[in-house]
Amino acid sequence: MNLAGKNILIVGAARSGLAAARFVQARGAHVAVNDQKPVEQWGNTSELKGIDLIGGEHPLALFEKSDLIVVSPGVPLANPEFQHARAHGVEIIGEAELAFRFLRGQAVGITGTNGKTTVTTLIGELLKQGGLKTQVGGNIGTALISLAESSTDESFTVAELSSFQLEAVAQMHLHVAVHLNLTPDHLDRYDSYEAYGAAKNNIFLNQTADDWAVLNADNEWTAQLGEQTAAKKNWFSRERELAAGIFLRGDEIIHRGVINSDGGKEKVLLTLSDIPLPGTHNLENVMAALGAGLACGVSVDSMRETVRNFKAVEHRLEFVGARNGVKFYNDSKATNVDAALKALEAFPGGLTVILGGKDKGSDYAPLAPLVRERCDHVILIGAAADKIGAALADTKPLHRAATMDDAVSLGFALASHTDGSTAPTDSIVLLAPACASFDMFQSYEHRGRVFKEAVLRLVNAN
């Protein structure tokens, strides 16, 4: 893709947009960056010398005169400026699509409503510890375009891909495409659940019979995706045995040969005791990662050792600390109802759960049965507090907190014995918001850090 002399517009001045701007400028393009925020609110722009910075509006003339528009994931493609540009024949792609036009070697992509970051991180470790040159990026925090330079013909790029990133792909090709699950989310951006799912399904674009698709046989949406790709399928299931794929039998994770023409032979990959991560959803995550590792040629013995030593990813059922028998867990990445349900399912009971944030058009009623079964108290924060409270009105005692510090202090008080004695060892304060973070925080990472800081202040107080 020759960029020299092209007029390229980058829309969105967050991390991936600025990385794309630097990349195309280095290849001789005339670059402009546009964001609805004023330029002075963009943060550090010192590395953007020679790039036109336009903030506060989206001038239509800027869109129509561009040779190519690269869109950051957070910017909806339905915006009228993009419709105007298309009418003038301008090609519009996402930052991930731009990256894939320059990445060398093999690529492994992971999508799904929940579990993406854990699976992406684990696959990266499986491949790296298995002796493959590996780099990891995408929605996980490192812009994919920043990995193009370091990729080689022998390298593997492992990419977490959100629905936002997959909306504007065209030529992206993945040797291994992993689709974990689909449950309602981002309905504030998409017109329907089906539209959200259709964006996710773009992960299979351009796959061939030489590629692999790793699919969840237990999820209603992904179980129907076998015809979406020409790639070979490696299914996984924790609910039933499969004719071919990865499944659970007793306490053993079995692989029934679909890789390397094993002819239906079975092999034990792991036992449940090999998995250090809590929760049945993490069993699914490990199965998916194993499927990708097998497709990339990593040995079973190497993967077993890597899984045994794998630590929970930050903000995903992350143990933070304990005081007087009350344990604190950070699952700030639980940004939708299904993720919050999985967090609740990971503990047998004794929970004080912190819920709330920015609503994404979610239905919170599915939380009610597990709240009744496993929670002692619910603490509500953020803009969605009233909506969640209405859905959980007849479950367990509901409490309000204005700040995260207040929520942590209140959680500790509720989980502790009122007479000051040590709480039972299974008393847990769990942050699993079921919402986005943007009402009170910059991101789910920021929310999780604030939670952890509050917990550590409490834990370390005299």
Side-chain angles (χ1 to χ4, degrees):
M1 187 179 185
N2 184 12
L3 302 178
K6 299 291 180 66
N7 293 314
I8 298 182
L9 172 62
I10 310 295
V11 183
R15 177 173 46 208
S16 63
L18 298 185
R22 293 190 294 269
F23 182 88
V24 297
Q25 183 192 41
R27 280 150 185 79
H30 305 299
V31 188
V33 180
N34 178 227
D35 193 288
Q36 64 181 0
K37 292 181 180 178
V39 174
E40 56 269 21
Q41 296 180 16
W42 291 11
N44 184 12
T45 58
S46 60
E47 297 182 7
L48 302 179
K49 292 181 174 61
I51 295 176
D52 295 331
L53 308 181
I54 302 102
E57 58 180 350
H58 297 308
L60 291 181
L62 181 66
F63 282 71
E64 66 184 48
K65 74 177 184 181
S66 300
D67 296 311
L68 175 70
I69 296 176
V70 180
V71 186
S72 295
V75 183
L77 288 174
N79 285 1
E81 297 83 10
F82 297 126
Q83 299 175 25
H84 182 81
R86 290 189 192 96
H88 284 77
V90 180
E91 182 182 14
I92 301 172
I93 63 174
E95 176 265 335
E97 170 70 15
L98 177 69
F100 274 98
R101 295 188 184 186
F102 289 91
L103 282 166
R104 299 162 63 192
Q106 305 274 27
V108 180
I110 300 93
T111 199
T113 302
N114 298 308
K116 295 186 296 298
T117 300
T118 295
V119 173
T120 301
T121 305
L122 180 52
I123 291 174
E125 286 299 305
L126 293 176
L127 272 55
K128 180 181 178 181
Q129 299 304 321
L132 302 177
K133 181 181 178 182
T134 306
Q135 52 185 12
V136 179
N139 196 54
I140 199 170
T142 301
L144 271 178
I145 194 64
S146 67
L147 300 180
E149 287 284 4
S150 55
S151 65
T152 69
D153 292 342
E154 293 74 37
S155 64
F156 285 77
T157 299
V158 182
E160 178 181 327
L161 297 169
S162 69
S163 61
F164 297 173
Q165 290 172 299
L166 289 167
E167 287 175 7
V169 298
Q171 299 178 21
M172 179 189 76
H173 171 249
L174 296 169
H175 176 54
V176 182
V178 183
H179 197 324
L180 300 169
N181 48 62
L182 195 80
T183 57
D185 197 9
H186 298 301
L187 298 182
D188 54 340
R189 171 148 168 166
Y190 294 100
D191 293 335
S192 66
Y193 178 62
E194 288 72 23
Y196 167 53
K200 292 280 194 186
N201 291 357
N202 284 339
I203 195 170
F204 304 116
L205 286 177
N206 305 310
Q207 283 199 299
T208 72
D210 293 326
D211 301 316
W212 285 96
V214 179
L215 294 164
N216 186 350
D218 300 335
N219 178 261
E220 183 178 359
W221 183 276
T222 55
Q224 307 300 316
L225 294 182
E227 301 304 317
Q228 289 282 329
T229 175
K232 295 165 284 190
K233 285 78 177 174
N234 199 6
W235 297 92
F236 65 92
S237 171
R238 67 175 176 84
E239 296 181 357
R240 65 184 187 280
E241 292 196 11
L242 301 175
I246 298 171
F247 58 88
L248 183 66
R249 180 191 293 150
D251 67 348
E252 294 180 331
I253 298 175
I254 306 291
H255 170 241
R256 185 172 282 161
V258 292
I259 309 277
N260 301 326
S261 301
D262 289 340
K265 294 180 181 178
E266 292 184 1
K267 186 175 183 65
V268 177
L269 302 179
L270 299 174
T271 63
L272 294 181
S273 62
D274 291 320
I275 302 175
L277 306 177
T280 55
H281 64 293
N282 275 320
L283 170 58
E284 294 180 353
N285 291 339
V286 169
M287 287 179 165
L290 292 171
L294 288 170
C296 294
V298 183
S299 74
V300 171
D301 289 342
S302 174
M303 291 196 294
R304 184 181 300 119
E305 189 64 23
T306 301
V307 170
R308 284 172 176 166
N309 293 300
F310 187 71
K311 307 299 183 188
V313 178
E314 188 179 17
H315 310 302
R316 292 150 184 87
L317 285 183
E318 175 191 11
F319 175 70
V320 180
R323 179 164 184 172
N324 295 346
V326 179
K327 299 177 182 178
F328 293 84
Y329 283 84
N330 166 33
D331 203 50
S332 182
K333 188 58 172 69
T335 59
N336 57 61
V337 171
D338 189 64
L341 286 169
K342 287 178 168 59
L344 294 174
E345 288 172 347
F347 302 97
L351 288 170
T352 296
V353 64
I354 301 172
L355 296 168
K358 182 180 183 295
D359 180 48
K360 296 189 284 184
S362 302
D363 177 10
Y364 300 99
L367 291 168
L370 269 180
V371 168
R372 289 192 190 95
E373 177 186 335
R374 305 196 182 189
C375 295
D376 297 327
H377 298 275
V378 176
I379 299 173
L380 300 175
I381 62 172
D386 288 344
K387 185 176 179 181
I388 299 173
L392 302 181
D394 298 323
T395 57
K396 291 297 177 72
L398 306 179
H399 312 266
R400 298 296 182 100
T403 68
M404 188 63 78
D405 273 356
D406 292 343
V408 168
S409 298
L410 178 58
F412 179 66
L414 293 170
S416 302
H417 288 302
T418 55
D419 61 5
S421 61
T422 299
T425 56
D426 60 352
S427 290
I428 291 167
V429 177
L430 169 67
L431 173 66
C435 294
S437 56
F438 303 116
D439 55 338
M440 297 169 64
F441 306 97
Q442 298 169 8
S443 63
Y444 76 84
E445 295 100 331
H446 180 214
R447 176 171 61 192
R449 288 194 299 271
V450 171
F451 173 77
K452 292 197 294 181
E453 289 164 1
V455 169
L456 292 175
R457 283 194 295 272
L458 186 152
V459 167
N460 296 323
N462 294 327

